[in-house]
Every structure is written in structure tokens, then in C-alpha cells.
Amino acid sequence: IMISRFIKTCGLIPSQTKYLYICVFLCFVLIGDITQKGYEKKQAKLLAPFVPQTQSKTHHTDFLSAYFPPSLDVDVSIKLTPGLSSDPTSNPNAVPVAAPRQHRAHRSGGTRDDRYRSDIHTEAVQAALARHKEEKMALPMPTKRRSAFVQPPAENCTPPGGSCFAAISAMLAQNLQSPEYWINRSVQSSSTSSSASSTLSHGDGKTHNHNQGQTSVLADVLAHTRIGTSSSIPPDVTSTVPQDRNSRVDLPPNITVRGMSRGQSRSSMMDTAGGVPAHSRVSTKIQQLLNTLKRPKRPPLSEFFLDDFEEIVEVPQPDPNTPRPEGRQMIPVKGEPLGVVSNWPPALQAALARWGATQAKSPALTALDITGKPLYTLTYGKLWSRSLKLAYTLLNKLGTKNEPVLKPGDRVALVYPNSDPGMFWVAFYGCLLAEVIPVPIEVPLSRKDAGSQQIGFLLGSCGVGLALTSEVCLKGLPKTQNGEIMQFKGWPRLKWVVTDTKYLTKPSKDWQPLLPTANTDTAYIEYKASKEGTVMGVAVSKISMLTHCQALTQACNYCEGETLVNVLDFKKDSGLWHGVLTSVMNRIHTISVPYSVMKACPLSWVQRVHVHKARVALVKCRDLHWAMMAHRDQKDTNLSSLRMLIVADGANPWSVSSCDAFLNVFQSHGLTPEMICPCASSPEAMTVAIRRPGAQGTPLPARAVLSMAGLSHGVIRVNTEDKNSALTVQDVGHVMPGALMCIVKPDGPPMLCKTDEIGEIVLNSRAGGTMYYGLPGVTKNTFEVIPVNSGGTPIGEVPFKRTGLLGFVGPGSLVFVVGKIEGLLSVSGRRHNADDLVATALAVEPVKTIYRGRIAVFSVTVFYDERVVIVAEQRPDANEEDSFQWMSRVLQAIDSIHQVGLYCLALVPANTLPKTPLGGIHVSETKQHFLEGSLHPCNILMCPHTCVTNLPKPRQKQPVGVGPASIMVGNLVAGKRIAQASGRDLGLIDDQEQSRKLCVWPTNMHQFLSEALQWRAQTDPDQVLYMLLNAKGVAVSTATCSQLHKRAEKITAALLERGGINTGDNVVLLYPPGIDLIASFYGCLYAGCIPVTVRPPHSQNLAATLPTVRMIIDVSKAACILTTQTLMKILRSKEAAGCVNVKTWPNIIDTDDLPRKRPSNIYKPPTAEMLAYLDFSVSTTGMLTGVKISHSAVNALCRSIKLQCELYSSRQIAICMDPYCGLGFVLWCMSSVYSGHQSILIPPMELETSLPLWLSTLSQYKIRDTFCSYSVMELCTKGLGTQTEALKARGVNLSCVRSCVIIAEERPRLALTQSFSKLFKDLGLSPRAVSTAFGARVNLAICLQGTAGPDPSTVYVDMKSLRHDRVRLVERGAPQSLPLMESGTILPGVRVIIVNPETRGPLGDSHLGEIWVNSPHNASGYYSIYGEESLQGDHFNTRLSFGDTETHWARTGYLGFVRRTELLDARGDRHDALFVVGSLDETLELRGLRYHPIDIETSVSRAHRSIAESAVFTWTNLLVVVVELSGSEQEALDLVPLVTNVVLKEHHLIVGVVVIVDPGVIPINSRGEKQRMHLRDSFLADQLDPIYVAYNM
């Protein structure tokens, strides 16, 4: 009326009126307050004058519009679309009928799987990918070594790692930070990046090089610009918190150079965070990874964790936009009454007896051969007689009369192949007649069958001891060498009985089987695999079996004499219920089409329907698809005889696509829409619902077009906004007759759902399983469920069974199923269906990379949430680039369609995924392989940055508002003492006579070690100080006090004569471990020179080792080199000339041929504070550092070691470690001269040829004290761990060892020391013997376990607290606990204090801080060629900011804490234990927390048996994990998800890059410490030759 008035008022002409009506109509449509029927009426009425009339053939179903509440019409009512029709165009998901030529094209490919195909969904996926294409975000392609896997043809290959790394370009400047931050302010430039040739830009896949000129200019500028040390740390693009760039630098950059000679200009080198030169090519792929990480994470979920002391999981705040159910509470749905038919038998056995007697010649079963032709037909008479024989044989002929093997109620396994249904039928009905319980299982093919062990668990839980099989099947079972049936893994011992007719006994005339009325006793057990892979047996009672057959007969309207074609497995599910049980009850002729026939001839079941004019066919979507693909317009095929095409997996939401496609192809062959009857079933409830066969022309069921976003929240919403995320589902008919159905919440108590809510279908019916056999606990939760209403009150007393199906009840009480519990993936509070994700992945084109039917989707629990994993089989002809492109597009499609991030996408070689007996992918077994690292993928893509959105909030350090003095007072008030400890005092021996008795030299007379040697050469010239052993344990050389003194004098003479050395000059000692090194050291002291010990270069690896030698020589400004003839030739060789400039070596003196002259005098320093020697060492951070050691420090250190270890002249010690730096050099060269004891020297390199050398030496010489390095101990642990019995047989006895001290500058490796103690306990090694020492650059020996102190103590600290720089002691075995061992007893004369490195104030007991040391043997400072005096004072001569501000301390650069124990020290006081946690320079600052690399590496090494070693470092705040693979290269990609999982789980960190390398690639120094920064430099310079590099998205 209003529109008419408006037209009259405005005077509109007819053409304007037309558009007005259309606008009004569109307004109605947009408002949405209209039903399907009303929509069509208004459409016809409004557009009739303007649209040409068309005659529609579509039939629509008139549902009750009042099914949902009126107020919920828009949100709740289901969008109803036409169902299957005779017009293909009426169905939006329909696949058009293709011409014969197109059919043949599809046939040749054989790759399309219309089970998951929908044109609408494919369009949605393409639209989602188009949006991503516009972003043109290049993802870094993984780097794979060519030798790792079988490679595609050369033209399809991606270049190997050579193109992995590109120059530092403007991409780095633009995407990380502004260039001004990195380089001098005068540089002003910007550009965009060029992509590496091996990466893909989504969309066009082209590289962009339009700004190459600017890129190269900026790269040159960066390469020649000096970077200030304050801004050398790469910025963090992955963090949202501001970066603190004022990190402390303990070692001066002008000293800690790497690979730079003294004369080289620092401006020619760009130092980044670790001093990486610009010309070493930073990876463009890492930069592309950073670009992807800068994108916002999706979906933006609430943080799960608070930055609290305990990191308690926080319940995420609900999103106000989350759809919620708004309908009323559902009412239970009743099925039609189960009719009573007069001729229904009282039991199934009675039906068989009836047909066997009255219809003996009626065909019961026809089996097909491999070609699809009938092999034999089993009549009801033969079925009855053979079943009788088997029943009689089982009860009377298997044992004796008094001791039968079987008795009624026993369980029997039926093991028959799918190709022999006749034998199975006889065995099944024979068991029923004998009243034993059959348990049908699959035929085991090998010990490694997928799920075989779980089948064994089923047989064990059911108490099965007997297995029935056929003679052919028995011959095919795997046998042992003795010809016996193999014992399958996890299976109980079985007796095998062959049931072929010739082995059966005809029953006696007086024997008749019992045919009782069906009761509640168990009839048979059907196996069922759960989501986790556990196999359980569902027990079906006799009354349930009979009732289910009756219900199926009524629902499907079965009649006597019909023909049924069964394509399904006849041992379980619908194949058993319809094809074996219900068919016998109704005297139906069943044609069984085995799986092997379907593989050879997919159209065979259609041909059987045509030939036998079958009335019913029992298939799955797979069979529809295969038949459609094999169809070639066969005119002689006619399906009009069918009245019912039962689709057994119609509960799959994507079955509608297969049904539509099959109908469109075979509609011209007599197939009608009314014939297609999808059903829903579960092993527990059996058939839940089935669509009844319809008559021609009756209204067709409709479909629901639902929003996937709503489904993920468990609610029903019409998809009105985004058609790209719609799911079209078809109904599965009505509830079975005699059943009552409810929808309950799948989680928590079984509360009734609302009408617009998705829930689990539960069923009350006499037809269904009764229990999980032998599992009463699980049975109660599944078979005895009583739904409750919203108030928690039970709705009744009758129990329901859980079906495992997710769905809802639509208009007209139609049942809709949207998924299964076992396929449900619950991610971040939302539910996703595995089948939906499969459909989306298969909709990504092109799919030439994978096999469509071989894909598995599952979830793994990582870091308090489920993570989605997709595994698919890759085609052999797919190349790396195509595979990576398809994988990356799948990621984008699933992210857009389902709003969920994929955690991992893996491609495995063809035919390697575990399969079910009928060819499907065994998902739970695939998941198990994935978690165990035995999947062996050939391509993998991890995306933890995308989907892990519940990480703890990054810590933001708060400014200290309280002064350091107040903190100290607070600690005192709280009862905490200052965390400091000290060793005992260094006493002096003044009486020279007493010193002679003790064989020590008086310190008040001799202050220098050179004087000590002279004194010993005079007082005790024949005492053997040193003995050097070779690999055979033979002493190749010894040195007495006199011999050592004389050789030192000859070297002094050679230095003065040949070298022209002046007092104070530095002299490099280049020797292999031995006595020559010791003599040269004292020769330098006699000459007044400063010795510098350097590890000689390896003759087989000069390129790697000689530059380090050259660098130390240049940095130390050495005046000459003392070495052997062999090494002198190496230094001047052509090979050396290729590595360094050999013409600029200092003067080289060969000490093999020394003059017989003696020096005129021996130099004596004027003061003990003068330098004794320089100690150069490469730290674990890769920094070369030289420290100055004075004569007084040497004297104090040697005396401290002597007192701690109680060394005197009659003692022997064994040293097995390198003698070039630190405490190892002191023990090797100085300690014996000072204390007079004998040192047995064992070069570690000799252990490579004779592993037992060190241990046999300890046993042979009955050594009490020995010193070694971690590398030596690890070598013995790995190499001799399995040879303890052989060592014991050779007489090796370690009971004499009192102290075995590991010399190191790191946290004690507790796992290694404990393993060593346990392994060699059988050789007499005391568990108290192994201990550690601790030293640093500023003080070579701070702790050393002595003889008088208490045993080292062990504590367990909380790792989460350590990340926050706190110490919290926990009990052993507590979650996130870290064991720490005391680093030895503090040496005499040493004081340590724990200090806050920022405030420089002392901390309380058990607080984590930097270890500061005060000792007379502290180093004097760094040896600097640039004179950085500020750092000298900061590291070697610093003071506390409050408290004891007068004492001078040296900063070790190590974090640790002091804890007062209950043990007593030598003085009788309570022992203060020092625990070293790790180096400050090595710690990783990630997410505002402090991580120690050793902790992450320990977790990584436990992740897989093939991980030999690992190392971690950071680059641009991405965590890089390098893993050495000890197994085959096939296992390389298995490690990527395992490493990512364990680091995320245990350390709450996301790994950015995983690098898989060969064993021995991770560099380790002589002390066994990893050189992580050298490793990082090699990685960034593309020098590792990795097996695989994975860039986690």
C-alpha cells in the first residue's frame, strides 16, 4: 500500500516503478526475515512482470517454518536448498555431466577424489588464495642437500644451498630498522628487497629486482662502515616490547677479534651482533622469515599466561562476538515404533535354520573372483549344514570329552580375508550355533602392520586363545624359520583352527544345536579403534543383534528373496549388519564385492547391480567416486532395478558431493534421487539413522548451508555473510525404529543441547552394543549415559549410548551429522572437523603434488593446546618448488577458510603412510610415527609462529625504585646473609729446614717458578717430574728435575743466540702436547721472555686451524716462534701459503737440534708483579682473549692447588687434557715443578687410537688424583660404555682413584659425570670420585675439588625462575626442575661474592647474580694491542657499589649463586657451595627472559635417538637450533617437528630455524666446550653444508 501511494505521489513512470519494486525486494532479502518458501513466492510475484517465464523442474520440501522460535528466524533457521533432483543445474554443488572425452581424461589421471570435492568450496578456497596473492609475501623455501633424498629431474630442481644466502641488502635496512640506526648518520638511503631465486612470491612467483642499484650501493656502504658497539645488536622484529641495547660488553672489541691480523683496519669489517663480517652473506631466507613474522598473528586470541612467578594458566576472556546458542532446549526425538511381525524368528540362528530347511537351494551368498566374475554361490542349505558341522567340531572335536578346548561363552577370533566371505559366514554362524562368541579381526600380514599391537590388546582383553581361519589364509600368514605361525607383537598366544569343509566333522544324529530365544548374552564382539588408536571390543548381545536386524528390516523395507550388492567389509559395521545378519534374517541374496576386485575393476559393483538386478546396494562414498571415475558411458548398464543405494558413510558432511556427482553421471542409467539413502552409524549404537527409500516424485529432503565459523563454536548459523566459509550438509534421514535420540554437549556432563547447538548424538535403543568387553570403567562413560537438563536434573532413568557423532536435529526431525568426535580438533576453544580441513587442502589447485586420497589430519598437544598437523603422500614426480608452493597455499587457504593456523604440514614419499586393511590412511598410527620421529617426510613446513598464540607475555624489566643499600638491608632484615664464600687461608712456610723435610721450596726465598726449578735441580736432580705416554701406554719420554733444567737452559741459549730476543719479548710456543712444551716454557722464563702457548695447526686441516695460529701470533706481537722441525715445515709449506701469508712469520727457531751452550746467566725478574706468561683462549662465545698472568699469580695459584689437593713429591697424578690454556696449562707445566709430584702426561689425541689408555693408566700406576676435560670424559663414556666387562677382564681397576677432576670454564655437566660414574662403577670407580673445577678468564682456578672438603652437593632449581634471574630451590623430580652440581670447593686464598651485574651491589644467599672473585692469583688484565683501559678496570679491578667498597674484585662474567649447606668444611664451619649457572655472554635474551643455551640443547638432545649433538644461537632474535644427525639422512626431516615441540614445551620458545647437519660439524674447543658463535658465523656464511634447513613460519 505504501509503495502504491509513493508511486502515485511521485508520478513515476513504469520503468522507474520496475526498479523500485526490485529495490524493495532486495531490501527484504537483505533483512533476512524471510523463509525459503516465502522468498520464492516474493521472487516470483515481484519479478514476474519483468523476467521471462521459465518452467522449473525442481521440487522443494516444505518444512515447518515454525520449527525454530520466531525471534531466531535470521540466526537459527537453516537455509534450505533443494536436494538431489533430476536437473543437475538445481544443485549448486553438482558436478556437471562431462562428455566421454572428458571422462577418459579424468580416468587417465585418476587423481580426483570427489568425496571431498565441492565446486562452491573450491571457489571459496581460490578466493581466499587470491586475497593472499595480493599481499605478495615471499616465504623462505627450505634448503635441502641434494644427496639427502631421491631428486626430481634436473630441470625441475631448486638450486641447492649455494643460493641460500644473499648480501645484507636494503631489505635488512628497511624491514629490520631504519638504516640510520645501523650506520653513520650521513648515510641516507632506502630501497626494497630483492628475493632470492629459490624463494616464491605468492601469486606470480616472480622475483623483484627493480631496486638492485640502490641495494648494492647500500650494501657497499654497510660493508665499509664501522658500527658502534652500543648498536651492534640486531633489532628484535618479533617482539612487541622496546629493545634494551645497553647490554654489557665484558670483552673489549679490539681484543676479541676473530680472523683479523694486527695491521688490518677495523673499518674494513662490519661487526654485527657477533662480529659477523658483512661479506659473509646474511641469509635472505631468514629475512623473508622475519617479514612473515611481522604480520599479525591470526586469530588474535587472549594470552593464556601471566608473567607471574608460577606462570599460572589464565582462562581466556570470552570474546563478546562469539556466537552462542539461543534456541530452546531440545526435546528427545523418538523413532517410529518397532513393528511386530508374526513371522519374525525368535533368534537369528532360528532364521538360518528355517531357511536352511525350507529354502535350501535359495542363494545366500555369491563371491567374486579377482576379475569381478562370480566365483561360487553359497546356498542357505549349504550355509546351514556347514555351520552345523563347524559348531559340532568346535564343541566336540578340539579337545577331549572331559576337557574340551571350547565351551559356550568363550571368545574366538575369526581371521578371514576380505576375498573369502563364504568361509567367514560359515565361521560366524557356526560360532553362534556353538554359542561361542566370535571376534572378527583383520588378517595380520606382518609384525609391523598398522595397529597390529592394538589388535593384540583387544584379543588379550577379550581372553581370546583360539583363532579360526581358512587353509589358504593360514598358509599366507607370516611364519618363523621353523614353519610356525609368527608371534605377532602384543598378541596373546593363539591356537589356529582351519575351518575348511574337509576338516569339519559331520555331527552325530543325536546332536542338535540349541536354538534359544534371543537373550542378553553376548552374541559377538566387533572391534573399534578410538581416536588415539586404542582398539576396544564392542559386545553385542543376542537380543540387540536381533532387534537391530528387525529395525533395519523395517527402516529399509527389506523383503524376502531380494538381491543385495555389498561392497563394504563384511566383518564389521554396515557390511556385517546388512550383508551378513539382516540378509540372512530376510533370506536375501548377497553379492559380496571384495576390496581387491574394487581396486582392479572399480565399476564391478555397478555391473553386479545390472546383471543381478539388485534391489539394494551397500557402498561408501569412495565406491561412488571410483565407479564414476571408471565410467565410460556404458549404455548397457542399468540401475533402475535399485530401490535403495545405502551410503554407509553418509554421516560425512562431504558425502553430499559424491552423491551428487554419482547421480549426475548415472542418472541416465536409471538412477533416481530417491534411491540414494545416506545413513549414520557407530560401533557402539550401531545404526543411528537412515534415510528411508522414497517413491518416485515424493518431496526430497533439503540441505543445510551452515557457517563454518558457527560450527567451530558449536552453534548452527546460516551462512549469510561469507560464502567462502560455508558447509553444505545433507540429512541422514530419521531415527531408527524403536529408538530415542538426544543431542548432548560433547564435553563435561551430558547436558541437553539447545535446538541451534551442535552436540553429540546419544541413543537409547535395544539395538546396539552393550559394553566394551573387559573394560567396565570405559563402558560406564559410553553405554550408561543419562542426559540432564539445564538445571542438572536427569531427564529420565533410561541409559543412552554415546555414538561419537556430532550433529543436530533439523525440521521434520531429520538428523544432520556434521562430524565425528574422533575427527574433532579442539584448538584454542574452537572445534574443527578433520574432514573439513582435508576438503580445504584438496581444493587447493594444482594438486599434482600429492595423492588426493592419502592425507591424514590430526592434532598434537603442544604447549597447553592442540595443534593441527596435516600429513600427505607426495607424488614421485613432484619437484621441491611445486611441493613448497602447494604447501604454502594450503596454509593460507586453511587460515582464511577455517581461521585456524596449521602447526605442521608434512609430505611423505608415496606408499609410506600406514594404511588400514581396506586401503585408508591409519591416522592414529600416522600420528604415532610423527611423534616418535619415524614418519620420514620428504618435505615439511612448520608454522608455530602462526598458531601458537598462548605464549607467556614477554617480560618487561621494571626500573629499580629501591636503592641497592635498601635491598641489602632488606635481605638482612629477612634473615638472608650476603652471598659470599671463601677458601681457607694460604699459609707461608718460613723455616727452610722444614721445607727440606716436606720437599717444598721456601716461598720467602724464591718468588719465581724459574727459581723453583733451579732449586729442585740442585736439591733432588734425579726426581722424575714428568712422564709422557703414547697410545700403547709406553713412556716415550721422561724428565727429571735436572734434565728439565738443562733442556730449559739450552732453549734459553738458542733464544739469545738465534732469535736476538730482548727481555720482555713475547715468544710463541708451538708444540704438540709433551715435555718439549714444558722445557720451552721454562727456557723462556730463564731468558726473561714472555711465553705464549699456542695449539699447533692440524696438518690435515690447515685451512681451519692455521688462521687461528696466525691470529694469536699477530695479536700477541710475538718476536719469534719456538717449535719442532715438523711443524716448522708445515708453517712454511705450500698448503700453509694458501691459508696465510707465510712470508711474514716471525723468526722460527727449531728446538729439535739445540746448541750445547749454556746461558751466561738466568734472568730473574726485578719484581713478582711482572708478567710470567700470556694465556690465550677462545671462549665459548667465540672470542679470542689473552690475559696477563704475573709471577706472583703463578706462585699463589700453584700453592693454592698444592694445598687443596695435598700434592707432595711422593705423589703421582695423571693429566689427560690439552695443555695450551687455563688451568690445564698450569697443571701440565707448572704444578709439578712447584709441588714436586710426578705428572703422568696423556695427550688426548692418543685416545683416538687407544680409547682405554687413560683408564688403564690410572689402574696400572694406581693413580689417586687425575685431571681431564669434558671431551675426554665424553669420549670414554660413548666409546667404552659397552666395554666394561672387557676392561675388567684386562685387569682395569679404578678403585684407587680418589679424585677425578674435570677442568672446565662452564656449568658442570651433571648428566655426563653421572653417566661416567655409573658406567665405570663396575671397575671400582667410587661415585664420590668425579668432581669439577671452575675457572674464568679473570681467574684461571676459582674452584677445585680437594681431598679434605665435603663431597660436591647437588640442588634442583626451578628453570622458570632462572629465566627471571631468580633462584628457587625445588624437590627432585619437580616439573621444570634443573639439577645443578657444585663446581668444586673454593681454592685457598680465593673469595667470591654474588653481585647484581646492573646495580653492582651484593646479593643475598641463594640469589642469582654475577660471580666476582678476589684472589692473589687473579689475572693482571687483558693483553690489549689497543689499550682499552676502561674495560681493564671494569673487569679486573672493580668495586662494589655499597657494602665493602674497598676490596678490589674481578668480574668473571658468569652467573651463579652461593648456598650455605649443612655440611662441614675442613675448618669445621658450615660449607658454602658455589653453583655456576652459565656465562653472561652466552645467555640468550628472548621475550625479556634470560635463557642458557645448555638448557635448550639438553632438551633438544633428548628429543630423538638420532640427535648426536646440538647447539643453539640467535640471529635477529630468531632462535636457531643446529642438530647433528647420527642416523640416516632419511630421518633428517623427522627432527624438525620434534625439536620445535620440545623447545616450545619445555622453554616456551618458538624455534625460528632448524638446521640439520652431519656429525662433527658443531665446533668444540679443547675443553669440550661448544663454539656457538663460530657455528653461527659458519651458518650465516653458508659454510655448514647442511642436510636440511627448515624455516619455521
Side-chain angles (χ1 to χ4, degrees), residues 1145-1462:
W1145 289 122
N1147 186 19
I1148 302 177
I1149 300 178
D1150 164 25
T1151 59
D1152 287 349
D1153 185 18
L1154 293 172
R1156 298 184 178 274
K1157 297 181 181 179
R1158 296 178 59 187
S1160 56
N1161 66 324
I1162 294 178
Y1163 175 79
K1164 180 179 179 180
T1167 172
E1169 300 306 319
M1170 292 191 66
L1171 282 187
Y1173 71 99
L1174 296 179
D1175 190 298
F1176 274 89
S1177 172
V1178 178
S1179 70
T1180 53
T1181 56
M1183 303 295 182
L1184 175 67
T1185 314
V1187 292
K1188 299 181 287 189
I1189 309 296
S1190 66
H1191 287 279
S1192 62
V1194 169
N1195 189 5
L1197 177 56
C1198 291
R1199 177 164 182 78
S1200 182
I1201 294 172
K1202 171 185 170 51
L1203 292 177
Q1204 190 83 333
C1205 299
E1206 297 181 358
L1207 301 176
Y1208 42 85
S1209 57
S1210 61
R1211 295 281 303 281
Q1212 272 186 327
I1213 69 170
I1215 304 172
C1216 187
M1217 57 187 304
D1218 280 329
Y1220 299 109
C1221 61
L1223 187 53
F1225 175 62
V1226 174
L1227 291 170
W1228 190 285
C1229 292
M1230 305 178 210
S1231 188
S1232 285
V1233 172
Y1234 183 93
S1235 303
H1237 62 271
Q1238 181 182 345
S1239 293
I1240 299 177
L1241 309 177
I1242 307 171
M1245 67 180 68
E1246 303 291 353
L1247 266 66
E1248 296 179 4
T1249 55
S1250 177
L1251 269 177
L1253 175 61
W1254 176 46
L1255 299 182
S1256 58
T1257 301
L1258 300 180
S1259 174
Q1260 178 183 352
Y1261 292 93
K1262 291 183 170 46
I1263 301 296
R1264 296 181 63 188
D1265 299 283
T1266 181
F1267 301 87
C1268 69
S1269 63
Y1270 276 120
S1271 57
V1272 169
M1273 181 164 284
E1274 190 169 19
L1275 201 62
C1276 292
T1277 302
K1278 293 181 177 179
L1280 298 176
T1282 58
Q1283 303 179 25
T1284 52
E1285 292 299 326
L1287 292 174
K1288 186 186 291 187
R1290 290 169 52 182
V1292 175
N1293 187 351
L1294 303 181
S1295 59
C1296 56
V1297 178
R1298 178 182 64 173
S1299 174
C1300 175
V1301 182
I1302 308 165
I1303 306 301
E1305 296 182 7
E1306 60 175 309
R1307 178 203 299 177
R1309 301 186 197 175
L1310 186 59
L1312 179 59
T1313 58
Q1314 288 179 344
S1315 298
F1316 182 83
S1317 299
K1318 290 178 181 178
L1319 283 175
F1320 300 107
K1321 178 180 65 175
D1322 293 341
L1323 299 182
L1325 181 66
S1326 169
R1328 303 168 56 186
V1330 181
S1331 60
T1332 63
F1334 171 64
R1337 290 284 78 201
V1338 297
N1339 189 307
L1340 302 182
I1342 299 172
C1343 299
L1344 180 66
Q1345 189 66 27
T1347 55
D1351 293 337
S1353 57
T1354 300
V1355 297
Y1356 293 84
V1357 299
D1358 181 53
M1359 290 181 66
K1360 298 191 296 293
S1361 300
L1362 276 184
R1363 297 170 196 150
H1364 292 82
D1365 293 335
R1366 296 193 291 263
V1367 175
R1368 185 168 72 94
L1369 300 182
V1370 295
E1371 295 296 325
R1372 179 180 181 179
Q1376 294 283 316
S1377 62
L1378 172 69
L1380 292 177
M1381 186 172 74
E1382 180 186 352
S1383 296
T1385 307
I1386 297 175
L1387 282 168
V1390 177
R1391 292 174 58 197
V1392 296
I1393 189 169
I1394 307 300
V1395 180
N1396 186 319
E1398 296 176 356
T1399 65
R1400 303 199 179 192
L1403 295 172
D1405 196 44
S1406 294
H1407 278 62
L1408 187 68
E1410 186 182 6
I1411 302 171
W1412 287 14
V1413 60
N1414 171 268
S1415 165
H1417 61 259
N1418 276 6
S1420 304
Y1422 290 125
Y1423 182 78
S1424 171
I1425 55 177
Y1426 297 107
E1428 289 281 351
E1429 298 301 331
S1430 60
L1431 279 175
Q1432 298 278 6
D1434 183 56
H1435 286 191
F1436 292 90
N1437 199 21
T1438 189
R1439 302 183 185 184
L1440 296 173
S1441 59
F1442 63 91
D1444 179 12
T1445 58
E1446 300 299 323
T1447 305
H1448 292 270
W1449 302 87
R1451 303 179 63 175
T1452 64
Y1454 283 84
L1455 291 173
F1457 61 94
V1458 169
R1459 180 174 180 265
R1460 174 156 287 184
T1461 66
E1462 300 298 325

Side-chain angles (χ1 to χ4, degrees), residues 289 293 944-945 1518-1521 1540 1550-1554 1590-1593:
L289 178 57
L293 300 186
H945 291 96
L1518 280 178
L1519 181 64
V1520 181
V1521 179
T1540 306
I1550 296 178
V1551 178
V1553 184
V1554 181
Y1591 302 93
N1592 288 349
M1593 302 300 169

Side-chain angles (χ1 to χ4, degrees), residues 113-421:
D113 189 348
D114 282 1
R115 287 179 293 163
Y116 294 100
R117 180 160 182 82
S118 163
D119 285 348
I120 290 181
H121 192 65
T122 301
E123 293 172 6
V125 171
Q126 300 306 323
L129 292 175
R131 291 198 299 268
H132 282 272
K133 182 177 179 180
E134 296 173 0
E135 300 177 12
K136 294 183 179 179
M137 181 66 69
L139 299 181
M141 185 173 172
T143 303
K144 183 187 296 185
R145 182 189 293 172
R146 286 183 180 273
S147 63
F149 306 101
V150 179
Q151 294 296 321
E155 62 270 11
N156 295 332
C157 283
T158 305
S163 63
C164 170
F165 297 96
I168 292 182
S169 63
M171 173 185 281
L172 194 60
Q174 181 185 20
N175 293 315
L176 292 183
Q177 281 257 357
S178 61
E180 292 82 358
Y181 190 84
W182 281 76
I183 59 179
N184 293 336
R185 295 288 178 179
S186 59
V187 179
Q188 302 288 340
S189 69
S190 66
S191 73
T192 55
S193 117
S194 62
S195 301
S197 61
S198 61
T199 58
L200 297 172
S201 178
H202 287 298
D204 51 8
K206 299 175 183 177
T207 57
H208 306 281
N209 300 318
H210 50 277
N211 284 330
Q212 271 189 338
Q214 297 179 7
T215 301
S216 58
V217 170
L218 184 56
D220 292 340
V221 172
L222 289 173
H224 294 87
T225 305
R226 177 173 179 174
I227 308 300
T229 55
S230 63
S231 62
S232 63
I233 300 176
D236 182 5
V237 300
T238 64
S239 175
T240 56
V241 297
Q243 296 298 306
D244 180 14
R245 304 187 182 280
N246 298 323
S247 59
R248 184 178 67 82
V249 181
D250 282 343
L251 304 180
N254 50 8
I255 294 300
T256 56
V257 296
R258 293 199 299 275
M260 187 175 75
S261 62
R262 191 181 69 184
Q264 185 177 352
S265 170
R266 281 184 59 79
S267 63
S268 65
M269 175 183 203
M270 169 186 163
D271 282 347
T272 58
V276 182
H279 53 74
S280 67
R281 307 295 185 188
V282 179
S283 171
T284 302
K285 293 187 178 181
I286 295 181
Q287 181 54 45
Q288 291 172 345
L289 178 57
L290 293 175
N291 290 344
T292 66
L293 300 186
K294 289 193 299 182
R295 301 162 63 189
K297 293 182 179 180
R298 182 175 184 179
L301 296 175
S302 166
E303 308 259 357
F304 275 28
F305 290 88
L306 292 176
D307 185 20
D308 198 3
F309 188 74
E310 294 290 340
E311 284 185 356
I312 301 174
V313 177
E314 178 191 6
V315 178
Q317 297 297 322
D319 185 358
N321 297 322
T322 299
R324 294 177 178 83
E326 301 171 3
R328 64 179 184 273
Q329 183 175 291
M330 77 155 296
I331 301 172
V333 179
K334 288 185 178 181
E336 62 195 86
L338 186 61
V340 179
V341 180
S342 58
N343 62 346
W344 271 354
L348 200 58
Q349 304 94 307
L352 177 59
R354 174 186 172 186
W355 304 130
T358 62
Q359 301 285 341
K361 294 185 178 180
S362 178
L365 171 70
T366 297
L368 305 183
D369 61 14
I370 191 65
T371 63
K373 296 180 180 178
L375 182 64
Y376 62 83
T377 297
L378 186 68
T379 63
Y380 277 96
K382 290 181 180 179
L383 177 60
W384 168 247
S385 61
R386 292 178 185 178
S387 301
L388 273 181
K389 289 180 181 180
L390 179 59
Y392 179 76
T393 303
L394 292 178
L395 293 177
N396 299 285
K397 296 299 180 179
L398 295 184
T400 63
K401 189 172 184 180
N402 296 328
E403 294 182 4
V405 174
L406 282 180
K407 55 184 182 295
D410 287 348
R411 276 74 57 202
V412 175
L414 304 190
V415 185
Y416 294 93
N418 286 301
S419 59
D420 195 358

Side-chain angles (χ1 to χ4, degrees), residues 1576-1588:
R1576 187 189 72 173
D1577 295 346
S1578 299
F1579 170 67
L1580 296 175
D1582 200 16
Q1583 296 171 350
L1584 293 183
D1585 186 26
I1587 300 172
Y1588 191 80

Side-chain angles (χ1 to χ4, degrees), residues 428-460:
F428 189 89
Y429 282 102
C431 289
L432 293 184
L433 291 173
E435 294 194 309
V436 296
I437 303 172
V439 185
I441 61 172
E442 306 298 337
V443 178
L445 301 178
S446 70
R447 284 179 57 86
K448 296 183 179 180
D449 280 357
S452 173
Q453 189 170 357
Q454 290 298 330
I455 293 292
F457 170 76
L458 166 72
L459 298 178

Side-chain angles (χ1 to χ4, degrees), residues 797-920:
E797 297 180 356
V798 292
F800 285 72
K801 301 178 184 67
R802 291 187 180 271
T803 64
L805 301 176
L806 296 172
F808 61 95
V809 179
S813 299
L814 285 176
V815 180
F816 290 83
V817 177
V818 297
K820 295 183 178 180
I821 292 286
E822 65 182 27
L824 202 62
L825 312 176
S826 298
V827 182
S828 301
R830 297 177 64 185
R831 301 197 292 255
H832 304 274
N833 195 324
D835 287 334
D836 298 345
L837 298 181
V838 171
T840 300
L842 294 181
V844 175
E845 298 290 347
V847 200
K848 61 183 179 182
T849 301
I850 66 161
Y851 291 100
R852 298 189 67 106
R854 304 178 191 172
I855 185 168
V857 177
F858 53 87
S859 64
V860 293
T861 303
V862 181
F863 196 62
Y864 307 108
D865 202 356
E866 295 294 309
R867 315 292 176 189
V868 181
V869 179
I870 295 182
V871 182
E873 287 189 0
Q874 177 178 298
R875 291 182 173 276
D877 56 347
N879 60 43
E880 299 291 326
E881 193 163 333
D882 288 343
S883 299
F884 180 75
Q885 182 178 12
W886 182 82
M887 294 165 76
S888 58
R889 288 166 66 85
V890 168
L891 296 179
Q892 298 164 355
I894 290 180
D895 183 63
S896 296
I897 301 292
H898 303 277
Q899 287 82 48
V900 65
L902 276 188
Y903 182 66
C904 178
L905 179 54
L907 301 183
V908 300
N911 295 315
T912 57
L913 286 180
K915 294 180 175 57
T916 60
L918 294 183

